[in-house]
Amino acid sequence: MPAAEPLLEREAGLATVAAEATRACSGSGRLVLLKGATGTGRSALLEAAARHAAAQGMQVLRVRCSTEPLAPLTAVCQLLSDRPELAYPVLDTADAGDADPAAHRERAARLWRALLTWTEEAPLFMAIDDVHLADSTSRGWLVEAARLVERLPVLLVATERSQYDVGPPVPGLDRALSSGVVRTHTLAPLRASASARLVRAAVGTEVPDAWVDDMVRAGAGSPLFLRALLDDLRGQDPSAAGIPESCAALYSGAFPAAVSWWLECAGAESAEVARALAVVNGPDGGHEDGDGGLLAAMTDSDPSRVRGWLTAMTHLGLLRPDSKGRPRYAHPLLRDAVLSGWSGDLRGASHARAAEAMLRHGASTEAVAGQLLSAPAPVGAWAADVLLDAAARAVGEGRTADAVVLLRRALSEALPPARQATVLTQLGSLEFAAFPAAGIPRLTEATRLSHEPRDRARSAIALGTALAGRGEVRAALTALASAEEGLAAEPGLAAAVRSASMLVSDRDQALRREMYGRLRAEAGRAPESADPVGRALATQYESTAGLLSAETALARVRDLLREPVDPLAESVLVAAAAFVALWADELDEAERLVRRGLAEQRASLLHPAHSTLLNIRAEIFAARGDYPGLLAELDSRRAAGAGAPGRPGHTEVLAIVALAETGCPEEAAALADRCDPRDASDSWERPVLHFARGRLRAACDAPVGALEDFLECGRRQSARDVVSPIVTPWRTAAAECLLTLGRTDEAVALAQEEMGFAEVWNTPRRLGRCLRVLGTATGGRYGLELTDRAVRLLRDTPAETDLIQALIAQGRQLTAAGERTRARDPLREAADRAGRIGAVRLRALAENALRECGARHRATPPGGQAALTDSERRIAELAAAGRTNAEIGELLHLARRTVETHLTSAYRKLGIRRRTELPRALDQLLVDTGMEVGLRAVR
């Protein structure tokens, strides 16, 4: 490295010494003191000044002072013995150890005479490096010499460390001298431009500017740090790699060694504060501590000295304030180097002190918990409280992985068995989604440790849910039954466990019939003693068994929702009521119940009702024909890692139909291949999967395969006592396939059978579907009458896709009857409605039918309020009213990603690009369409 590099921005200091050297050569000596922080190049400047003095003909004597324990006047003796060929008295070892004051004075005088001997030959340049490390007697001698060289050809040049430290400052060499006998020059840190020149001089001028800027930040204005880092990075290609953030990536370690030396020079107190700052200034931003109070508490230091140190280090360039004004190391590598000299034990202890100090200073729970994660356990009872609070917040914000880490750390604290059981239940519940092998043992242990009745119920429900999720339904029911027996004295909790058992049994056909048979038998023997949740589940069962009308079922569950139930069982009651509302086409009511049920769920506890409620929410999207919303829901659940490992999720099954209907048959087929019915065993998922796969095959013009799937769906549903079409209308779906295959009589028989069950349930949607299929199968004038009735019924339902299919059937029958002009209106309406909800397949069917009747579809503009689905409309209105995506998600109980997907779709349909354009766009549509969207009410 060229000799000029260390002297960047040091010209003024060199000029000062040169001027004083000229003055000394003329017989008027002085002391020049070069001050500066560690690493600012004091020694390099002193050496350059010495070379300049030698070039002027001055004799140069050098000494570098040391921290080693030395005898009195050692530094001066070393300085004046630089030329042993000149004879002058030298102290022997015995003299050096003599503590007699008179002897010291004699030695000091002999050393002064030795200095005079030097001046007889030529002017003398005495270079004393790191004079602050010299023994006190040598410093005293130099101070006296500075007063006496004013009439001698002697220049004393000393370097002295002048850096603000946390410890008490040491008096400087110039403290006892007047300005007439001493000149002081202070070295400032290198400016960024000078540091950049130094870097480019070492590595070349073609390196990227970003790489150089990174080097300058890591060097912090210190020539020492910059040169050490350049040595470590020598041979690396700056264009291929950036500056590392860890010292482990450096070889040979010159940079961390330089930082360690800087800390050593600063003293133990400053080093401790520096490392404490590195501990609290983690990658997450650390704690608000601009005044140094936290650091002072961590290190038992004087707060005023810590504040001064932070200010001084910021001035030097080692620290930089972040956007919140907090002092941070100028580069992550610098922070890592400060910590690299610390052992793991010391670092862990500092994290523990940081956590305790941050808690006292009012830091956020997350910040304190972040320190505890790096502290050795146990820390104390308060630490468990902090970790659990932080875990609860992480769960609430959807950061499951963070919550798992926090709960695992909480288990390392000394917890009483009851609290340990609670943590194990939460941790096992969260781990199950990603680590089922770890989750189930934790839940088993939690069940063993739980003594309080409510804790036993929670842990048993979580364990049963996990076991069922693994396909171990019988084991799950056994665990739940055991817990229910142990809770005989707590009827509310026992009922909660029993209700969870009912939901779990849905995953096994035989066990479901057994459990519901027992439930109905008990209710029949003593109906007044049955709990509200049991009666709601019985109502749900009877609805699917074709024994109740929608009106009766709705009345029952609405009454049951008013009755008090244990909080652990309330979500099951709400889920049962939501199912009934969904099947009765009361979709808004079902949606409200889902939101209520999910709000009552603790996300950190496994419960079978949680997945049930999410499945109902997906069913609501499907019932409305809101295919974009359904697919966004699937993306959201996948991003959250929802669903049992290795099993097809209900939302995925529904997405098969959504993809097929929105013109993505290949994606639908790929998803169907991943959702193998055999993976669902005998659970409720298998017939639903067969139904969805049948819908896909029918959409792909494969009626034979579709028929097989629909009939298999029917066999499996019937085996589960699910005969009503409210769950899977497989009979009418199979009838449509039979019509395609020309097997009309069989089609009519199946449609009539479904009509019988639909008449029992008695809702427009179920009746309208059956009437449509029967009308298509019957044909002629009577068939047209049936189809007309279907259209009239379906206009009163929120099920858009069923109405579209009925309109297409009506148009085709009118065409077949020779009434082509009349056929065009229902077919155009069908095409328009299909276009608005993105039902590509149905739109194509309607347009084909229009062409068959000799008409073309007059397409409506793709944008507009009418094109928005219900979900898009609600979210757009809330966004227009100023709600954030997070607020909308919380209000509607939707994932943030789902909200973003709906908004993106709404922007596209409305022809806008920004959120700020929403109010104007929606207001304009109120004028254009005359539709009352409730926007003004929202505002």
Side-chain angles (χ1 to χ4, degrees), residues 74-87:
T74 296
V76 180
C77 289
Q78 291 174 346
L79 177 68
L80 294 174
S81 64
D82 193 61
R83 302 242 334 249
E85 66 273 16
L86 295 179

Side-chain angles (χ1 to χ4, degrees), residues 291-293 296-297 301-308:
D291 63 356
S301 302
D302 181 351
S304 63
R305 296 295 299 177
V306 173
R307 285 194 295 273

